[in-house]
Structure formats: structure tokens, C-alpha cells
Amino acid sequence: MNRYIPFLILLLLGILLGFSISLTFIVAPLMFSHFSQRFAGEIMQTIFPYYFASGWLIGIIIYTFIAILSLKEKEIVKKLKSFIIALSIMIFSYMALHKAILPIAESLNNQYYSLLDAGKKEEAVLIKEKFKKVHAISSSLNLMNILILAFLFYNFYFKIKNKEL
């Protein structure tokens, strides 16, 4: 079974990287360019919890696979030191997006539309500015996660290719 674990790790990283890139650079822009901002935002609010949760859950699954590999080969943690550090950063970032930043953004967005619906445009503009700041943080972390995923994928692929694992 251990010979399949590196393939599974690479597969999971590839799936998450592909999903992240397609959601960030294809799906979200298409949604906002073809639908009203409010409707597109509601759809994305439905997708993002699953997206962010998948990031940290896949990271934990990969940790588990590395732990299984380490039962047979004790030196694997040393060989994967930079990989494990980057994986840890990615997991914490996805957790922060899922459990802290996303709820704040959703709350601000809901407040914004409630104020607009109530005719309180001036107050809504203030909330929108707060939302933009949270969105900028979220977008930055998401881009960082995509870069980390690319590093993880290529790092692990070359370790397999060079028979370091």
C-alpha cells in the first residue's frame, strides 16, 4: 500500500490546485461578469465554505499519508521538511479563511444588502468598505495558497521523480 501513497498525495494536491485555480480565475470572474453582483455573491457564498474546508481537510489527509509513510521509513519527515512546513502554512491559511475570514465577510455582505434594501445607502457604503478590506485579505490568502499548492505539487513530484521518497 505504501507505494500508492505518494501517488495519492500527488493526486490530492493536483485536484486541490486545479480546483483552486479554476474557482479563482475562471468560475468567480465568470459569475461576476454574467450575473448581478448580489446573485453572483450569493452563489459564491455557497461555494466558498466547501472550497476552504476542502483545502484544510485535504492537507490533514496528506499529513496522515505522510505519517503512514513514516512508519516504514523514519527519515521521510527530514526529506519532506520544507514540504511539511509549506503544508502546515497552507492548512492554517485555509482554516483561517474557512472559520474566521469567511464568516466576517458573509456577515458584512449581508449587512450591506440589508442596509441597501432598507434605503440606507450611506451606511451601506461604510459596510462595503469594510467588506472590501476583508475581501482583499481573503483574496491575498487564497493567492498565497495557490502558490503554496503549486510549490507542494512540484516539490513532491520531483522528489518522487528523483526517487528521494
Side-chain angles (χ1 to χ4, degrees):
M1 178 166 162
N2 282 354
R3 63 185 173 161
Y4 297 111
I5 291 176
F7 170 76
L8 291 173
I9 290 172
L10 206 55
L11 180 66
L12 287 171
L13 288 171
I15 289 169
L16 186 57
L17 180 59
F19 181 51
S20 298
I21 290 171
S22 64
L23 185 66
T24 302
F25 298 110
I26 298 168
V27 174
L30 282 172
M31 294 294 290
F32 284 96
S33 67
H34 285 80
F35 299 107
S36 72
Q37 189 171 6
R38 187 173 194 164
F39 182 67
E42 288 172 0
I43 292 172
M44 296 312 291
Q45 275 186 352
T46 304
I47 296 170
F48 279 131
Y50 297 104
Y51 167 50
F52 295 146
S54 69
W56 63 268
L57 290 171
I58 286 173
I60 290 171
I61 291 168
I62 291 170
Y63 266 149
T64 304
F65 284 152
I66 292 170
I68 292 168
L69 288 174
S70 73
L71 295 174
K72 185 177 180 183
E73 185 184 345
K74 302 297 181 197
E75 295 294 312
I76 197 148
V77 173
K78 282 185 182 178
K79 291 178 183 178
L80 294 175
K81 184 177 179 180
S82 62
F83 180 89
I84 292 170
I85 291 168
L87 184 65
S88 300
I89 293 168
M90 184 200 77
I91 290 169
F92 287 123
S93 176
Y94 273 118
M95 281 183 172
L97 284 164
H98 184 220
K99 297 296 185 183
I101 296 170
L102 183 64
I104 292 168
E106 287 175 342
S107 174
L108 289 170
N109 205 33
N110 292 338
Q111 287 176 40
Y112 170 73
Y113 285 112
S114 293
L115 289 169
L116 274 185
D117 291 343
K120 300 177 180 179
K121 289 184 180 181
E122 292 172 12
E123 293 175 41
V125 169
L126 295 174
I127 297 295
K128 188 67 169 181
E129 291 304 314
K130 289 179 184 178
F131 173 81
K132 286 180 181 180
K133 290 176 185 174
V134 172
H135 184 266
I137 293 167
S138 174
S139 296
S140 298
L141 285 175
N142 187 54
L143 184 57
M144 179 189 78
N145 283 339
I146 290 171
L147 294 173
I148 290 172
L149 277 166
F151 165 79
L152 291 170
F153 184 86
Y154 288 111
N155 180 275
F156 201 78
Y157 172 76
F158 284 112
K159 287 195 182 297
I160 292 171
K161 185 178 177 183
N162 294 334
K163 300 184 192 257
E164 293 178 36
L165 296 179

